[in-house]
């Protein structure tokens, strides 16, 4: 079941990379000096990506735990 652990780790790292992308995107929007409405619109665009990346990280960690239990 070692392969399951490595697959889960890769999925989790992909989710963490997505979270990092979301953070960078919001930081760029804040530094751009957008007005309140434009900043809210940008954060609203990033929110689904953020939730998807968080979901991917959680699924990856679940796969790792499953691999540990089965191994």
């Amino acid at each position: 079941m070692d392969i399951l652990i490595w697959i889960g780790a890769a999925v989790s790292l992909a989710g963490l990379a997505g979270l990092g992308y979301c953070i960078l995107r919001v930081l760029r929007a804040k530094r751009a000096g957008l007005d309140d409405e434009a900043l809210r619109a940008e954060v609203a665009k990033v929110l689904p990506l953020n939730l998807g990346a968080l979901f991917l990280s959680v699924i990856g960690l679940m796969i790792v735990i499953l691999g540990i239990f089965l191994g």
Side-chain angles (χ1 to χ4, degrees):
M1 288 295 137
D2 287 339
I3 190 72
L4 202 57
I5 294 171
W6 286 107
I7 290 171
V11 170
S12 186
L13 285 176
L16 285 176
L19 287 171
Y21 171 73
C22 292
I23 291 169
L24 289 176
R25 195 163 156 186
V26 170
L27 280 175
R28 273 191 235 132
K30 284 182 79 171
R31 289 183 183 157
L34 301 175
D35 62 339
D36 190 44
E37 191 62 35
L39 186 60
R40 285 180 191 263
E42 183 64 26
V43 170
K45 288 181 196 174
V46 174
L47 184 65
L49 295 172
N50 191 14
L51 290 175
L54 185 62
F55 177 73
L56 201 60
S57 292
V58 169
I59 292 298
L61 290 175
M62 286 182 184
I63 293 171
V64 168
I65 291 172
L66 184 66
I68 291 170
F69 281 152
L70 294 178

